[in-house]
Amino acid sequence: MQSCGSIPASDAKMPAMVRGTVKQWNEDEGWGVLASHDVPGDVWAHHMHIEGQAGYRSLDAGAAVEFDFITPPGGQDGYAYRAVWVRQLGGKEASQ
């Protein structure tokens, strides 16, 4: 399993910002999956990359978010994409 820390820029494509929704969130483990029409697959996200919350951070399934993501070499825990910055927006979007 790959660490949640930063990946050297030479090992990943540059981040790309998109809007989408929280597909699922694992409260106990502090990670979840984001979805967007602008990404060809699901995006793995870790609580430490959520902006605007102090301490332990969490997202609700169905919440609207915007996020930057990268394509780490070898993926992240079975996902081809990993969020490197996430901000929850004010509301829920239609299902992705």
Side-chain angles (χ1 to χ4, degrees), residues 5-70:
S6 297
I7 293 177
S10 61
D11 292 343
K13 293 182 180 178
M14 294 300 293
M17 183 177 290
V18 297
R19 288 185 176 216
T21 59
V22 179
K23 190 171 180 180
Q24 66 185 51
W25 191 261
N26 185 326
E27 190 73 32
D28 294 334
E29 295 184 16
W31 67 274
V33 180
L34 310 178
S36 172
H37 292 297
D38 298 318
V39 184
D42 291 337
V43 180
W44 185 91
H46 192 266
H47 77 92
M48 72 181 199
H49 293 130
I50 302 170
E51 178 191 89
Q53 297 179 19
Y56 181 80
R57 302 166 197 143
S58 182
L59 295 168
D60 295 325
V65 292
E66 67 179 352
F67 58 95
D68 286 336
F69 69 96
I70 61 171

